[in-house]
Amino acid sequence: WKLNDKFERTSISFGVIFSDNYDLTVLKGPEHGSEQANEFRQFWGERCELRRFPDGSILESVVWNADRTNEKRLVWMDATRYLLQMHAGISIQHVTFSDTNLMQILTLPFRLFSSYGSGDEQQLLICSQLIELSKQLRSLNELPLKIMSISGTSESVRYTDVFPPLPANFLTNLKKLRSVQRHGKFYTPRMDSRYSPPYTKSIDVLCQLEMSQKWFDDIDYIKHSKTLYYIQLATLLEQKYHYTCVPTKTCCYVLKQYYVYRLTIGYNKEIYLHETLNNKNDLIRSIKQTTESKHLRYETEYMPKLSAAIYGVSQQYVHYQSVVRIFKRWLSSQLLLDHFDSINADLICAHIFLHSAPYQPAKSILSGFIRILRLLVNYDWLNEPLIVNFNHELSKEQIIQMQTTFKENRKNLPPLCVMTLFNDKLKLEDDEYKKPTVPILKRIIQLANEALLHIETKINIESNIDSDSLKLLFRPSLKCYDVIIELNPLQCPRAYQGIDQLKDLFYIGRKQIANEEEDDDESVNSLPVVDFDPARLYINELRSSYNDVAEFFHDEFGGLVICVFLKPSVFENNVRSKDKNLSKQNGVIDINEMIKSWQLLGNGIIKSIRTFAERWPTD
């Protein structure tokens, strides 16, 4: 509009492009006494002060109080409000920002962990503790085989965990004192308790051993040797560093600074033995991949390399970790994260940062989230693979070869095919890599399109998107499901992570609880109940037993419902049973009896089960 024309709009929206350095808690200005110093002081007014820095320089500077990472991201907003009020007379109440509300979804109740913030400090602390633990593991010279490499494969180590693990000295609710019982140096759930034990998530760490002739060419012998190795590893860590360690057949749990690390052993020869089959004459050996060898190769070769590459992306782009956490939270809130696979979410988010041309990489959480939604909606998943080129290690010839391989084997590849330099030895046509399925992918694209329209409408028309509008994107629609299983909140230890947090949950630290017990040290240093989520265990049992007749959907981050979609074959069998009078042994499925078995299987966890027979086909 022209300057002389009357301006009818009541608000103006501005876009901001950030620099990579978002930490503006201390803004350094010119040297004291220089010509630019007066201009700097006039611009910043009373916020400007003179400070001496460690290098000996005395500079004009502006300091903002921000301790946690999420607060440092908001410093520029405080500075903008201050400058607009100082130079333009605009009240801070009339200035709003669209990028502030997404981080609230990643926060936890203040009364649970006041220093949690948005979880960034937790991930930094976990990684620093892991580095120290790695040095201590390498110093154990008494072990029969040396540890060649140590890799963290957990989401927390690569900074992509939606809610990083809380320290184990934080429990939920005083009444949950009786939800656990101590057996020696570890806790177990109490069967007669109304409450579930507090949720403590373990951090996966892979220890790769050196090759040796001491372990014979026998799979059973290697498995037993691993168990003995875990026992000796736990003994040495307890003797030298006084950690609480609990060895098992498959891993060794280590309690360090109230965080639980789950140590597993990788031995490359074990993969070879699983893939090698002896012929009758024992002279010729053939290589054949088995289910065990695929799983071992995925866990011991693919995941460490991929985790290291994703960790590099999170260090290169400061907003990557927040964007991927928001994206995973959105998928889980729509009950689809289990069907999408968490590693796919990490790779898709890495793609929008590594291949952002013609735009700059996303430098705010909201813009990054919008770009992911646009990628899901606009990308041709049917005809093109999504290639993630870490550190530009893939040459043009390799990329062309990947595209050619994709077109030749499209029918056998997953609907959402993500290719990297590290999955060349994996057979992506296997069932375990086919997440998400075609119906799930279509559902995600549909939801992404609706979410994108909602965000763009709020920004373009209303010039603002508040926290309530954003939370609408994280509340799922339950109208399309056939059965809804409501869970007992007392048996859901992760209820505090929900979008709509329960107000009647209270939290207290274990140190306060331990002071009321007789043996404080043993209580604090005992291994807590690890990875125990009754809702997760229940839905895993449902999927393993009833996967042929139904699909189960759940929000692992504080979800209090399990939604069930009955497959069409269930109703087809019922129709045939009415026509041919088939018995239950001949494939007839009684839906009501099946739901009763779900109720029996989830006794104590289930609050109620709602069925919607009107949604079921009648013909």
Side-chain angles (χ1 to χ4, degrees), residues 1 5-14 84 90-91 93-96 459-464:
W1 69 92
D5 294 343
K6 184 178 180 181
F7 181 58
E8 298 180 355
R9 294 189 62 179
T10 58
S11 63
I12 304 176
S13 298
F14 293 94
L84 289 176
I90 300 176
S91 174
Q93 299 177 353
H94 297 155
V95 182
T96 58
I459 294 178
N460 296 333
I461 298 179
E462 301 182 12
S463 301
N464 184 33

Side-chain angles (χ1 to χ4, degrees), residues 101-107 329-330 333-334 369 454-455 458 465-476 498-501 503:
N101 300 310
L102 270 176
M103 289 306 297
Q104 297 179 6
I105 297 174
L106 299 178
T107 59
R329 187 67 190 93
W330 177 75
S333 66
Q334 298 298 332
F369 184 54
H454 177 77
I455 294 175
K458 287 291 181 179
I465 179 167
D466 54 16
S467 59
D468 293 334
S469 299
L470 280 174
K471 284 187 176 181
L472 289 176
L473 303 177
F474 295 83
R475 294 191 181 104
I499 294 295
D500 301 304
Q501 298 167 353
K503 296 181 180 180

